[in-house]
Amino acid sequence: DIYDRDGVFAALREARPDTVIHQLTALSGRKFAENARIRVEGTRNLVDASLEAGARKMIVQSISWAYSPGNGPAGEDTPLDLEAPLPRKSTIDGIHALESAAAEMPERVILRYGLLYGAGTWYAPDGFIAQQVRQQEVA
């Protein structure tokens, strides 16, 4: 339970990892508020526990479509879209919290994923996006 701060600390203290990989999400159930909470509160617990346990490196998943709008492809120096309107803003705020917390690690890799396609994803023929298209909920 990523929200059980004491439990997260105890687990990492016992494991004493060199590297922690953060892949926690609530995306499979499309629980966007919960996913933002994981990114903010869960990442905070994980980073603090990792540091206390002596881990040196963390690998976290972020998203590539969180950049501020621009006139061309975004680069690593393109800022996050922190001024986005709601509901996008809650996602971007979660990403910002996740990336800022991960940056406290001595070493970190922040993977800004794009969209995942194929069986079992939102973009599969039986996935969430395909359902939205069939129901004419996507413009």
Side-chain angles (χ1 to χ4, degrees), residues 9 12 17 20 45-56 58 105:
F9 271 75
L12 287 175
V20 174
N45 290 342
L46 194 57
V47 166
D48 290 348
S50 297
L51 290 168
E52 196 258 357
R56 301 244 344 119
M58 182 173 282
M105 295 295 296

Side-chain angles (χ1 to χ4, degrees), residues 87-102:
R88 177 176 164 82
K89 182 166 180 43
S90 49
T91 295
I92 304 304
D93 288 348
I95 289 299
H96 184 253
L98 175 137
E99 292 186 4
S100 295

Side-chain angles (χ1 to χ4, degrees), residues 8 14 20 28 40 43-44 58 61 79 84 89 95 126 130-131:
V8 173
E14 182 179 335
V20 174
S28 64
V40 175
T43 302
R44 176 80 274 146
M58 182 173 282
Q61 66 163 300
K89 182 166 180 43
I95 289 299
D126 62 345
Q131 290 172 3

Side-chain angles (χ1 to χ4, degrees), residues 66-113:
Y67 294 109
S68 291
N71 293 325
E76 288 299 314
D77 58 343
T78 304
L80 295 175
D81 190 11
L82 297 175
E83 302 302 318
L86 289 172
R88 177 176 164 82
K89 182 166 180 43
S90 49
T91 295
I92 304 304
D93 288 348
I95 289 299
H96 184 253
L98 175 137
E99 292 186 4
S100 295
E104 297 172 20
M105 295 295 296
E107 300 176 53
R108 69 272 183 195
V109 176
I110 299 170
L111 302 171
R112 286 189 172 164
Y113 294 172

Side-chain angles (χ1 to χ4, degrees), residues 3-68:
Y3 303 119
D4 175 5
R5 188 171 170 85
D6 292 337
V8 173
F9 271 75
L12 287 175
R13 231 181 265 122
E14 182 179 335
R16 306 229 23 102
D18 296 323
T19 302
V20 174
I21 301 174
H22 177 350
Q23 292 283 90
L24 300 165
T25 73
L27 292 174
S28 64
R30 296 183 301 279
K31 298 178 181 175
F32 302 115
E34 184 64 21
N35 200 59
R37 181 177 175 221
I38 287 171
R39 289 174 173 153
V40 175
E41 187 180 333
T43 302
R44 176 80 274 146
N45 290 342
L46 194 57
V47 166
D48 290 348
S50 297
L51 290 168
E52 196 258 357
R56 301 244 344 119
K57 183 181 280 185
M58 182 173 282
I59 302 168
V60 301
Q61 66 163 300
S62 186
I63 51 177
S64 63
W65 46 268
Y67 294 109
S68 291

